Amino acid sequence: MVISFLSTFKPIAFFPTQKPSPPPLFRCNLSLPTVTITEPEPVFTSVKTFAPATVANLGPGFDFLGCAVDGLGDHVSVTVDPSVHPGEISITEIYGSHASSKLSKNPIWNCAGIAAIAAMKLLNIRSVGLSLSLEKGLPLGSGLGSSAASAAAAAVAVNELFGGKLDSRELVLAGLESEAKVSGYHADNIAPAIMGGFVLIRSYDPLELMRLEFPADKELLFVLVSPEFEAPTKKMRAALPLEIAMPHHVWNCSQAGALVASILGGDLAGLGKALSSDKIVEPKRAPLIPGMEAVKKAALEAGAFGCTISGAGPTAVAVVEGEERGEEVGKRMVEAFRREGNLESVAMVKRLDRIGARLVSSVPR
């Protein structure tokens, strides 16, 4: 028996178990709601925001699980600009270590611009023009949620400029407007980029988000190894099967359940084991990334709890305990990329970002 996977995929309805304190659930409409609020006045002249990198899928959680990673991400600055037509936004600058000529300054073709416009629509901004600058700290096509980081930072910047009227679910909607046009309608990057921590997308229609709380007294470290190789999300999604066998469906569902339980319980060994156990997506994508299978093997042999592809790749992500172990695992993964994939790569050891997109600085009116 086979199950239609992409072309006819419909979200499965999940029903909460009876627990005293279930994870928080956020519901919002699939499309931007009709504006009913009064247009707010800007409370700042300009703001600067940051949104973190994200790891989507986490192995068996294709399109419905993701988490935020500390210390990596994009910055966006938004300024009230009298030279810009009221109700519109202009992108004045794109810079940073990963700025690219591939990024358009036309706001309707730019991740940050699309999300900023969506946030302005939600806020009913019609009397003020804005200018935006984007500082790219994440490389394109890296598997670290580059487009989502730009979108999240932009949506939050517009929101903060006008007093923070939108809640997290509305900000995710604004970011999804961008993701849908750039890499597909999936929230496993944009939701954790905005909300921080681990986020489960319970449903897409209507959109329902559940934040999964990893225990505050436990430390979780990710080893991120990014090779000099670009894996565009649309290309990597095209490699996926249209149908899957029932045994693989059952297996992945059980591993996703184990992954969620391990996150909530702070079980690093269980988290890593589940993260490494995808039988549907990773087997199709790994061969497209030179050396990936050897990199995963090297990570596990060096003591990682688990390893998989971050998002669509090419970055590989491993779960470890302790920075010293993380450095050793990263070294072995870099060696495997060089030896088996003929690719140079960079390893980083990063913690879970529990905050998400946030205001960095502001200039009062």
Side-chain angles (χ1 to χ4, degrees), residues 264-317:
L264 296 176
D267 177 4
L268 295 183
L271 194 162
K273 184 177 180 180
L275 176 135
S276 300
S277 301
D278 174 31
K279 288 188 176 181
I280 296 173
V281 176
E282 184 182 312
K284 296 297 182 181
R285 286 178 168 173
L288 302 179
I289 304 170
M292 179 59 75
E293 291 164 335
V295 168
K296 179 174 181 176
K297 181 180 179 181
L300 296 175
E301 289 179 349
F305 290 117
C307 180
T308 190
I309 302 170
S310 177
T315 294
V317 56

Side-chain angles (χ1 to χ4, degrees), residues 214-276:
F214 188 81
D217 61 342
K218 295 195 175 183
E219 185 175 61
L220 171 61
L221 294 176
F222 299 102
V223 181
L224 303 169
V225 180
S226 299
E228 294 178 354
F229 181 83
E230 189 169 327
T233 301
K234 287 186 177 180
K235 176 182 176 181
M236 299 303 279
R237 292 179 81 86
L240 301 181
L242 296 179
E243 296 181 336
I244 60 172
M246 178 61 82
H248 286 172
H249 165 70
V250 173
W251 171 264
N252 265 43
C253 285
S254 66
Q255 298 310 306
L259 182 60
V260 171
S262 297
I263 291 168
L264 296 176
D267 177 4
L268 295 183
L271 194 162
K273 184 177 180 180
L275 176 135
S276 300

Side-chain angles (χ1 to χ4, degrees), residues 309-326:
I309 302 170
S310 177
T315 294
V317 56
V319 175
V320 298
E321 184 176 31
E323 290 194 36
E324 186 175 342
R325 174 58 58 84

Side-chain angles (χ1 to χ4, degrees), residues 190-204:
I190 190 66
I194 287 174
M195 300 166 64
F198 289 91
V199 179
L200 183 150
I201 295 84
R202 180 183 179 184
S203 167
Y204 275 95

Side-chain angles (χ1 to χ4, degrees), residues 25-33 122 167-174 176 185 187 195 201 203-209:
L25 174 65
F26 302 92
R27 291 188 175 89
C28 46
N29 296 326
L30 187 63
S31 57
L32 292 178
L122 286 169
D167 60 26
S168 60
R169 62 181 183 270
E170 291 168 319
L171 290 169
V172 170
L173 269 181
L176 267 174
Y185 195 86
M195 300 166 64
I201 295 84
S203 167
Y204 275 95
D205 187 12
L207 184 67
E208 297 182 7
L209 309 171

